[in-house]
Structures are given as C-alpha cells and as structure tokens.
Short mmCIF file of all heavy atoms in Angstrom, two decimals:
data_model
loop_
_atom_site.label_atom_id
_atom_site.label_comp_id
_atom_site.label_asym_id
_atom_site.label_seq_id
_atom_site.Cartn_x
_atom_site.Cartn_y
_atom_site.Cartn_z
N MET A 195 0.84 -1.18 0.00
CA MET A 195 0.00 0.00 0.00
C MET A 195 0.89 1.24 0.00
O MET A 195 1.79 1.37 0.82
CB MET A 195 -0.91 -0.01 1.23
CG MET A 195 -1.74 1.25 1.32
SD MET A 195 -2.68 1.40 2.85
CE MET A 195 -3.97 0.24 2.54
N LYS A 196 0.62 2.16 -0.91
CA LYS A 196 1.40 3.39 -1.02
C LYS A 196 0.84 4.43 -0.04
O LYS A 196 -0.37 4.63 0.03
CB LYS A 196 1.32 3.92 -2.44
CG LYS A 196 2.10 5.19 -2.64
CD LYS A 196 1.99 5.68 -4.07
CE LYS A 196 2.70 7.01 -4.20
NZ LYS A 196 2.56 7.57 -5.52
N LYS A 197 1.74 5.05 0.71
CA LYS A 197 1.33 6.09 1.63
C LYS A 197 1.56 7.45 0.97
O LYS A 197 2.62 7.70 0.41
CB LYS A 197 2.13 6.03 2.93
CG LYS A 197 1.75 4.89 3.81
CD LYS A 197 2.39 5.05 5.16
CE LYS A 197 1.90 3.99 6.09
NZ LYS A 197 2.36 4.19 7.44
N ASN A 198 0.57 8.29 1.05
CA ASN A 198 0.71 9.65 0.54
C ASN A 198 1.13 10.55 1.69
O ASN A 198 0.58 10.47 2.78
CB ASN A 198 -0.61 10.16 -0.03
CG ASN A 198 -1.02 9.41 -1.27
OD1 ASN A 198 -0.17 8.95 -2.02
ND2 ASN A 198 -2.31 9.27 -1.49
N THR A 199 2.12 11.37 1.45
CA THR A 199 2.55 12.32 2.47
C THR A 199 2.30 13.72 1.95
O THR A 199 2.38 13.99 0.76
CB THR A 199 4.04 12.15 2.81
OG1 THR A 199 4.80 12.30 1.61
CG2 THR A 199 4.31 10.79 3.42
N TYR A 200 2.00 14.58 2.85
CA TYR A 200 1.71 15.97 2.53
C TYR A 200 2.97 16.79 2.74
O TYR A 200 3.60 16.71 3.78
CB TYR A 200 0.60 16.50 3.44
CG TYR A 200 0.30 17.95 3.23
CD1 TYR A 200 -0.43 18.38 2.13
CD2 TYR A 200 0.76 18.89 4.12
CE1 TYR A 200 -0.70 19.71 1.93
CE2 TYR A 200 0.51 20.24 3.93
CZ TYR A 200 -0.23 20.64 2.84
OH TYR A 200 -0.49 21.97 2.64
N LYS A 201 3.34 17.55 1.72
CA LYS A 201 4.49 18.44 1.84
C LYS A 201 3.98 19.85 2.08
O LYS A 201 3.17 20.36 1.32
CB LYS A 201 5.34 18.38 0.58
CG LYS A 201 6.01 17.05 0.39
CD LYS A 201 6.96 17.07 -0.75
CE LYS A 201 7.64 15.71 -0.87
NZ LYS A 201 8.65 15.69 -1.90
N THR A 202 4.46 20.46 3.13
CA THR A 202 4.04 21.80 3.47
C THR A 202 4.59 22.81 2.48
O THR A 202 5.76 22.77 2.13
CB THR A 202 4.53 22.17 4.89
OG1 THR A 202 4.04 21.19 5.80
CG2 THR A 202 4.06 23.53 5.31
N ASP A 203 3.72 23.71 2.03
CA ASP A 203 4.13 24.77 1.12
C ASP A 203 4.35 26.03 1.96
O ASP A 203 3.41 26.72 2.32
CB ASP A 203 3.06 25.02 0.06
CG ASP A 203 3.45 26.09 -0.94
OD1 ASP A 203 4.58 26.64 -0.83
OD2 ASP A 203 2.65 26.38 -1.82
N CYS A 204 5.60 26.30 2.28
CA CYS A 204 5.93 27.44 3.14
C CYS A 204 5.91 28.77 2.38
O CYS A 204 6.20 29.81 2.97
CB CYS A 204 7.29 27.23 3.79
SG CYS A 204 7.31 25.81 4.90
N THR A 205 5.60 28.73 1.10
CA THR A 205 5.57 29.97 0.32
C THR A 205 4.21 30.63 0.36
O THR A 205 4.04 31.70 -0.21
CB THR A 205 5.96 29.70 -1.15
OG1 THR A 205 4.99 28.84 -1.74
CG2 THR A 205 7.34 29.09 -1.24
N ARG A 206 3.25 30.02 1.01
CA ARG A 206 1.91 30.59 1.08
C ARG A 206 1.45 30.69 2.53
O ARG A 206 1.79 29.87 3.35
CB ARG A 206 0.92 29.73 0.30
CG ARG A 206 1.21 29.72 -1.17
CD ARG A 206 0.12 29.01 -1.90
NE ARG A 206 0.38 29.03 -3.32
CZ ARG A 206 -0.20 29.87 -4.16
NH1 ARG A 206 -1.07 30.74 -3.72
NH2 ARG A 206 0.09 29.83 -5.43
N TYR A 207 0.66 31.70 2.76
CA TYR A 207 0.09 31.90 4.09
C TYR A 207 -1.23 31.15 4.16
O TYR A 207 -2.12 31.35 3.33
CB TYR A 207 -0.12 33.39 4.33
CG TYR A 207 -0.80 33.73 5.63
CD1 TYR A 207 -0.18 33.42 6.82
CD2 TYR A 207 -2.03 34.33 5.66
CE1 TYR A 207 -0.77 33.73 8.04
CE2 TYR A 207 -2.64 34.65 6.86
CZ TYR A 207 -2.01 34.35 8.04
OH TYR A 207 -2.61 34.65 9.23
N GLY A 208 -1.36 30.28 5.11
CA GLY A 208 -2.57 29.47 5.22
C GLY A 208 -3.74 30.16 5.88
O GLY A 208 -4.86 29.71 5.81
N GLY A 209 -3.49 31.28 6.51
CA GLY A 209 -4.55 32.01 7.17
C GLY A 209 -4.63 31.66 8.64
O GLY A 209 -3.96 30.77 9.14
N ARG A 210 -5.46 32.39 9.32
CA ARG A 210 -5.66 32.17 10.76
C ARG A 210 -6.77 31.17 10.98
O ARG A 210 -7.74 31.14 10.24
CB ARG A 210 -6.03 33.48 11.44
CG ARG A 210 -4.91 34.46 11.45
CD ARG A 210 -5.30 35.68 12.22
NE ARG A 210 -4.18 36.62 12.23
CZ ARG A 210 -4.30 37.88 12.55
NH1 ARG A 210 -5.46 38.38 12.89
NH2 ARG A 210 -3.24 38.65 12.54
N LEU A 211 -6.62 30.38 12.01
CA LEU A 211 -7.67 29.45 12.40
C LEU A 211 -8.40 30.00 13.62
O LEU A 211 -7.79 30.53 14.54
CB LEU A 211 -7.07 28.08 12.76
CG LEU A 211 -6.43 27.31 11.62
CD1 LEU A 211 -5.83 26.02 12.15
CD2 LEU A 211 -7.44 27.01 10.55
N TYR A 212 -9.70 29.87 13.58
CA TYR A 212 -10.53 30.31 14.68
C TYR A 212 -11.33 29.12 15.20
O TYR A 212 -11.63 28.19 14.45
CB TYR A 212 -11.50 31.40 14.22
CG TYR A 212 -10.80 32.66 13.77
CD1 TYR A 212 -10.46 32.84 12.43
CD2 TYR A 212 -10.47 33.66 14.67
CE1 TYR A 212 -9.81 34.00 12.01
CE2 TYR A 212 -9.83 34.82 14.26
CZ TYR A 212 -9.50 34.98 12.93
OH TYR A 212 -8.86 36.11 12.53
N VAL A 213 -11.70 29.15 16.47
CA VAL A 213 -12.49 28.07 17.05
C VAL A 213 -13.78 27.91 16.26
O VAL A 213 -14.24 26.79 16.00
CB VAL A 213 -12.79 28.36 18.54
CG1 VAL A 213 -13.77 27.35 19.10
CG2 VAL A 213 -11.51 28.38 19.34
N SER A 214 -14.35 29.01 15.80
CA SER A 214 -15.61 28.95 15.05
C SER A 214 -15.46 28.19 13.73
O SER A 214 -16.45 27.71 13.18
CB SER A 214 -16.13 30.36 14.79
OG SER A 214 -15.19 31.10 14.04
N ASP A 215 -14.25 28.07 13.20
CA ASP A 215 -14.03 27.32 11.97
C ASP A 215 -14.40 25.84 12.14
O ASP A 215 -14.70 25.16 11.17
CB ASP A 215 -12.57 27.40 11.52
CG ASP A 215 -12.17 28.80 11.09
OD1 ASP A 215 -13.07 29.61 10.79
OD2 ASP A 215 -10.96 29.07 11.05
N PHE A 216 -14.35 25.35 13.37
CA PHE A 216 -14.61 23.95 13.64
C PHE A 216 -16.00 23.72 14.24
O PHE A 216 -16.38 22.59 14.52
CB PHE A 216 -13.55 23.39 14.59
CG PHE A 216 -12.17 23.53 14.02
CD1 PHE A 216 -11.36 24.61 14.37
CD2 PHE A 216 -11.69 22.60 13.12
CE1 PHE A 216 -10.10 24.75 13.83
CE2 PHE A 216 -10.42 22.74 12.56
CZ PHE A 216 -9.63 23.82 12.92
N ASP A 217 -16.76 24.79 14.41
CA ASP A 217 -18.11 24.70 14.98
C ASP A 217 -19.11 24.70 13.83
O ASP A 217 -19.34 25.73 13.20
CB ASP A 217 -18.36 25.89 15.91
CG ASP A 217 -19.71 25.83 16.58
OD1 ASP A 217 -20.49 24.89 16.30
OD2 ASP A 217 -19.99 26.73 17.39
N THR A 218 -19.71 23.55 13.55
CA THR A 218 -20.60 23.45 12.40
C THR A 218 -21.92 24.18 12.60
O THR A 218 -22.65 24.41 11.63
CB THR A 218 -20.90 21.97 12.08
OG1 THR A 218 -21.44 21.34 13.24
CG2 THR A 218 -19.62 21.24 11.64
N SER A 219 -22.24 24.58 13.81
CA SER A 219 -23.49 25.31 14.04
C SER A 219 -23.28 26.83 13.99
O SER A 219 -24.23 27.59 14.07
CB SER A 219 -24.08 24.93 15.40
OG SER A 219 -23.22 25.34 16.44
N TYR A 220 -22.03 27.27 13.82
CA TYR A 220 -21.71 28.69 13.79
C TYR A 220 -21.94 29.24 12.39
O TYR A 220 -21.49 28.65 11.41
CB TYR A 220 -20.25 28.89 14.20
CG TYR A 220 -19.82 30.34 14.34
CD1 TYR A 220 -20.09 31.05 15.50
CD2 TYR A 220 -19.15 30.98 13.32
CE1 TYR A 220 -19.70 32.36 15.64
CE2 TYR A 220 -18.76 32.30 13.45
CZ TYR A 220 -19.03 32.98 14.61
OH TYR A 220 -18.65 34.29 14.75
N PRO A 221 -22.64 30.37 12.26
CA PRO A 221 -22.84 30.95 10.91
C PRO A 221 -21.51 31.53 10.40
O PRO A 221 -20.97 32.46 10.97
CB PRO A 221 -23.88 32.05 11.15
CG PRO A 221 -23.76 32.40 12.60
CD PRO A 221 -23.29 31.14 13.31
N ASN A 222 -21.00 30.96 9.35
CA ASN A 222 -19.67 31.32 8.84
C ASN A 222 -19.74 32.35 7.73
O ASN A 222 -19.23 32.13 6.64
CB ASN A 222 -18.94 30.06 8.37
CG ASN A 222 -18.66 29.11 9.50
OD1 ASN A 222 -18.28 29.53 10.57
ND2 ASN A 222 -18.86 27.84 9.27
N GLY A 223 -20.32 33.48 7.99
CA GLY A 223 -20.50 34.50 6.97
C GLY A 223 -19.21 35.19 6.54
O GLY A 223 -19.17 35.77 5.47
N ARG A 224 -18.17 35.14 7.33
CA ARG A 224 -16.93 35.86 7.01
C ARG A 224 -15.84 34.98 6.44
O ARG A 224 -14.76 35.46 6.15
CB ARG A 224 -16.41 36.57 8.26
CG ARG A 224 -17.38 37.65 8.75
CD ARG A 224 -16.73 38.66 9.60
NE ARG A 224 -15.63 39.30 8.88
CZ ARG A 224 -14.62 39.89 9.48
NH1 ARG A 224 -14.55 39.93 10.76
NH2 ARG A 224 -13.65 40.44 8.77
N ILE A 225 -16.10 33.69 6.26
CA ILE A 225 -15.06 32.79 5.79
C ILE A 225 -14.59 33.21 4.40
O ILE A 225 -13.39 33.29 4.14
CB ILE A 225 -15.52 31.33 5.81
CG1 ILE A 225 -15.56 30.84 7.25
CG2 ILE A 225 -14.62 30.45 4.98
CD1 ILE A 225 -16.00 29.43 7.42
N ALA A 226 -15.51 33.50 3.48
CA ALA A 226 -15.12 33.89 2.12
C ALA A 226 -14.28 35.16 2.15
O ALA A 226 -13.27 35.27 1.44
CB ALA A 226 -16.36 34.09 1.25
N GLU A 227 -14.66 36.11 2.98
CA GLU A 227 -13.90 37.36 3.10
C GLU A 227 -12.49 37.09 3.61
O GLU A 227 -11.52 37.65 3.11
CB GLU A 227 -14.63 38.31 4.06
CG GLU A 227 -13.91 39.63 4.28
CD GLU A 227 -14.61 40.49 5.31
OE1 GLU A 227 -15.70 40.12 5.80
OE2 GLU A 227 -14.04 41.54 5.65
N ARG A 228 -12.37 36.20 4.60
CA ARG A 228 -11.05 35.88 5.13
C ARG A 228 -10.18 35.18 4.09
O ARG A 228 -8.97 35.41 4.02
CB ARG A 228 -11.19 35.02 6.39
CG ARG A 228 -11.72 35.84 7.56
CD ARG A 228 -11.92 35.09 8.85
NE ARG A 228 -11.19 33.87 9.00
CZ ARG A 228 -11.69 32.77 9.56
NH1 ARG A 228 -12.92 32.74 9.99
NH2 ARG A 228 -10.94 31.70 9.68
N ILE A 229 -10.79 34.31 3.27
CA ILE A 229 -10.03 33.63 2.22
C ILE A 229 -9.48 34.64 1.23
O ILE A 229 -8.32 34.58 0.82
CB ILE A 229 -10.91 32.58 1.51
CG1 ILE A 229 -11.19 31.42 2.46
CG2 ILE A 229 -10.24 32.08 0.22
CD1 ILE A 229 -12.24 30.45 1.95
N VAL A 230 -10.29 35.62 0.84
CA VAL A 230 -9.85 36.66 -0.10
C VAL A 230 -8.73 37.49 0.51
O VAL A 230 -7.72 37.77 -0.14
CB VAL A 230 -11.03 37.56 -0.52
CG1 VAL A 230 -10.56 38.77 -1.30
CG2 VAL A 230 -12.04 36.75 -1.33
N ILE A 231 -8.86 37.87 1.76
CA ILE A 231 -7.84 38.66 2.44
C ILE A 231 -6.52 37.89 2.50
O ILE A 231 -5.45 38.43 2.21
CB ILE A 231 -8.31 39.08 3.85
CG1 ILE A 231 -9.42 40.12 3.74
CG2 ILE A 231 -7.15 39.62 4.69
CD1 ILE A 231 -10.14 40.41 5.05
N ASP A 232 -6.58 36.61 2.84
CA ASP A 232 -5.37 35.78 2.91
C ASP A 232 -4.74 35.62 1.53
O ASP A 232 -3.52 35.63 1.39
CB ASP A 232 -5.67 34.41 3.51
CG ASP A 232 -6.06 34.50 4.98
OD1 ASP A 232 -5.79 35.55 5.61
OD2 ASP A 232 -6.63 33.53 5.50
N SER A 233 -5.57 35.50 0.50
CA SER A 233 -5.06 35.39 -0.86
C SER A 233 -4.35 36.67 -1.29
O SER A 233 -3.29 36.63 -1.93
CB SER A 233 -6.22 35.08 -1.81
OG SER A 233 -5.76 35.00 -3.13
N LYS A 234 -4.92 37.81 -0.94
CA LYS A 234 -4.29 39.10 -1.25
C LYS A 234 -2.95 39.24 -0.52
O LYS A 234 -2.00 39.78 -1.07
CB LYS A 234 -5.22 40.26 -0.89
CG LYS A 234 -6.38 40.40 -1.84
CD LYS A 234 -7.27 41.56 -1.44
CE LYS A 234 -8.44 41.69 -2.39
NZ LYS A 234 -9.33 42.81 -2.03
N PHE A 235 -2.89 38.74 0.70
CA PHE A 235 -1.63 38.76 1.46
C PHE A 235 -0.57 37.93 0.74
O PHE A 235 0.57 38.37 0.59
CB PHE A 235 -1.87 38.23 2.88
CG PHE A 235 -0.63 38.20 3.72
CD1 PHE A 235 -0.15 39.35 4.34
CD2 PHE A 235 0.07 37.02 3.89
CE1 PHE A 235 0.99 39.31 5.11
CE2 PHE A 235 1.23 36.97 4.66
CZ PHE A 235 1.68 38.13 5.27
N ASP A 236 -0.96 36.73 0.26
CA ASP A 236 -0.03 35.88 -0.50
C ASP A 236 0.49 36.61 -1.73
O ASP A 236 1.68 36.59 -2.03
CB ASP A 236 -0.72 34.59 -0.96
CG ASP A 236 -0.73 33.52 0.11
OD1 ASP A 236 -0.04 33.68 1.12
OD2 ASP A 236 -1.43 32.51 -0.10
N GLU A 237 -0.42 37.26 -2.45
CA GLU A 237 -0.03 37.97 -3.68
C GLU A 237 0.94 39.11 -3.36
O GLU A 237 1.92 39.32 -4.08
CB GLU A 237 -1.28 38.51 -4.38
CG GLU A 237 -0.98 39.22 -5.68
CD GLU A 237 -0.29 38.35 -6.72
OE1 GLU A 237 -0.49 37.12 -6.72
OE2 GLU A 237 0.46 38.90 -7.54
N GLN A 238 0.69 39.85 -2.30
CA GLN A 238 1.59 40.94 -1.92
C GLN A 238 2.96 40.40 -1.54
O GLN A 238 3.98 40.99 -1.89
CB GLN A 238 1.00 41.76 -0.77
CG GLN A 238 1.81 42.99 -0.43
CD GLN A 238 1.93 43.95 -1.61
OE1 GLN A 238 0.94 44.30 -2.24
NE2 GLN A 238 3.13 44.37 -1.93
N CYS A 239 3.00 39.26 -0.87
CA CYS A 239 4.29 38.65 -0.52
C CYS A 239 5.06 38.25 -1.77
O CYS A 239 6.27 38.45 -1.85
CB CYS A 239 4.07 37.43 0.38
SG CYS A 239 3.55 37.84 2.05
N ARG A 240 4.35 37.68 -2.77
CA ARG A 240 5.03 37.31 -4.03
C ARG A 240 5.60 38.55 -4.72
O ARG A 240 6.72 38.52 -5.23
CB ARG A 240 4.05 36.59 -4.96
CG ARG A 240 3.87 35.13 -4.62
CD ARG A 240 3.11 34.39 -5.71
NE ARG A 240 1.70 34.75 -5.74
CZ ARG A 240 0.76 34.23 -4.97
NH1 ARG A 240 1.08 33.32 -4.08
NH2 ARG A 240 -0.49 34.61 -5.08
N LYS A 241 4.84 39.65 -4.71
CA LYS A 241 5.33 40.89 -5.32
C LYS A 241 6.55 41.42 -4.57
O LYS A 241 7.51 41.88 -5.19
CB LYS A 241 4.23 41.95 -5.31
CG LYS A 241 3.12 41.67 -6.30
CD LYS A 241 2.04 42.73 -6.22
CE LYS A 241 0.89 42.43 -7.15
NZ LYS A 241 -0.18 43.44 -7.03
N ASN A 242 6.52 41.35 -3.25
CA ASN A 242 7.66 41.81 -2.45
C ASN A 242 8.91 40.99 -2.75
O ASN A 242 10.01 41.54 -2.88
CB ASN A 242 7.35 41.74 -0.96
CG ASN A 242 6.30 42.74 -0.53
OD1 ASN A 242 5.98 43.68 -1.25
ND2 ASN A 242 5.74 42.53 0.64
N ILE A 243 8.75 39.68 -2.87
CA ILE A 243 9.89 38.81 -3.17
C ILE A 243 10.44 39.12 -4.55
O ILE A 243 11.66 39.22 -4.74
CB ILE A 243 9.48 37.32 -3.06
CG1 ILE A 243 9.23 36.98 -1.59
CG2 ILE A 243 10.54 36.41 -3.66
CD1 ILE A 243 8.56 35.64 -1.38
N ALA A 244 9.56 39.32 -5.53
CA ALA A 244 9.99 39.64 -6.89
C ALA A 244 10.73 40.98 -6.91
O ALA A 244 11.78 41.11 -7.55
CB ALA A 244 8.80 39.67 -7.84
N ASN A 245 10.20 41.97 -6.21
CA ASN A 245 10.85 43.29 -6.17
C ASN A 245 12.21 43.21 -5.48
O ASN A 245 13.16 43.87 -5.90
CB ASN A 245 9.96 44.30 -5.45
CG ASN A 245 8.77 44.71 -6.28
OD1 ASN A 245 8.78 44.58 -7.51
ND2 ASN A 245 7.73 45.18 -5.63
N ARG A 246 12.29 42.43 -4.43
CA ARG A 246 13.56 42.27 -3.71
C ARG A 246 14.60 41.62 -4.61
O ARG A 246 15.76 42.01 -4.61
CB ARG A 246 13.31 41.41 -2.46
CG ARG A 246 14.34 41.62 -1.40
CD ARG A 246 14.01 40.87 -0.12
NE ARG A 246 12.62 40.99 0.27
CZ ARG A 246 11.87 39.96 0.70
NH1 ARG A 246 12.38 38.75 0.78
NH2 ARG A 246 10.62 40.14 1.04
N SER A 247 14.17 40.64 -5.41
CA SER A 247 15.07 39.96 -6.33
C SER A 247 15.61 40.92 -7.38
O SER A 247 16.78 40.90 -7.72
CB SER A 247 14.37 38.80 -7.01
OG SER A 247 13.99 37.83 -6.07
N VAL A 248 14.73 41.79 -7.89
CA VAL A 248 15.14 42.77 -8.91
C VAL A 248 16.12 43.77 -8.30
O VAL A 248 17.14 44.09 -8.91
CB VAL A 248 13.90 43.50 -9.49
CG1 VAL A 248 14.31 44.69 -10.33
CG2 VAL A 248 13.06 42.53 -10.31
N CYS A 249 15.84 44.23 -7.09
CA CYS A 249 16.72 45.22 -6.44
C CYS A 249 18.09 44.61 -6.13
O CYS A 249 19.10 45.29 -6.26
CB CYS A 249 16.07 45.72 -5.15
SG CYS A 249 14.65 46.78 -5.42
N ASN A 250 18.12 43.38 -5.72
CA ASN A 250 19.39 42.73 -5.38
C ASN A 250 20.21 42.39 -6.63
O ASN A 250 21.42 42.31 -6.56
CB ASN A 250 19.15 41.47 -4.56
CG ASN A 250 18.68 41.79 -3.16
OD1 ASN A 250 18.89 42.88 -2.66
ND2 ASN A 250 18.01 40.85 -2.52
N ALA A 251 19.53 42.20 -7.75
CA ALA A 251 20.23 41.83 -8.99
C ALA A 251 20.89 43.04 -9.64
O ALA A 251 21.87 42.91 -10.36
CB ALA A 251 19.26 41.18 -9.98
N GLY A 252 20.33 44.22 -9.41
CA GLY A 252 20.87 45.38 -10.12
C GLY A 252 21.55 46.29 -9.22
O GLY A 252 22.27 47.13 -9.26
#
C-alpha cells in the first residue's frame, strides 16, 4: 500500500484558524472574506519577493 505524504508549502500563508471554523453550528459568513484577504496577502508577498530579487540583482 502506497502512503501519501503531505508536503508543506511554506511559500503561502494558510490564514488564521478560529475556534468557530470547527463549529458546524456557527454561521460562517466571514469565511469567504477571510479567504480573499489571505489570498491578497499571499499575492503581496510574491510581489515583495519579486521586487527584492530585482533590487538585489541590479
């Protein structure tokens, strides 16, 4: 039997975990908003890394 292992991707921010994320009776109206905010944070980090690379190269 082949075992699958998960490799952590340290280049992305996974977001914050809240107790309410695990409560199925909690109305999760802000989850989509938090996903978008975390995605924007990832994108800004990629831009910062790219800019840093350009500055260090020249």
Side-chain angles (χ1 to χ4, degrees):
M195 176 187 285
K196 180 180 176 183
K197 287 190 174 187
N198 293 329
T199 57
Y200 177 76
K201 293 187 178 184
T202 304
D203 182 1
C204 296
T205 63
R206 295 187 178 260
Y207 176 64
R210 292 184 179 164
L211 293 177
Y212 296 92
V213 172
S214 60
D215 293 341
F216 302 96
D217 182 358
T218 57
S219 65
Y220 186 82
N222 295 319
R224 295 201 58 203
I225 286 180
E227 179 185 355
R228 288 179 22 219
I229 290 170
V230 170
I231 290 169
D232 293 343
S233 179
K234 287 180 181 180
F235 179 80
D236 277 349
E237 181 60 29
Q238 186 60 50
C239 288
R240 280 190 288 277
K241 288 178 183 178
N242 291 345
I243 290 168
N245 288 338
R246 203 174 316 136
S247 297
V248 169
C249 289
N250 289 339

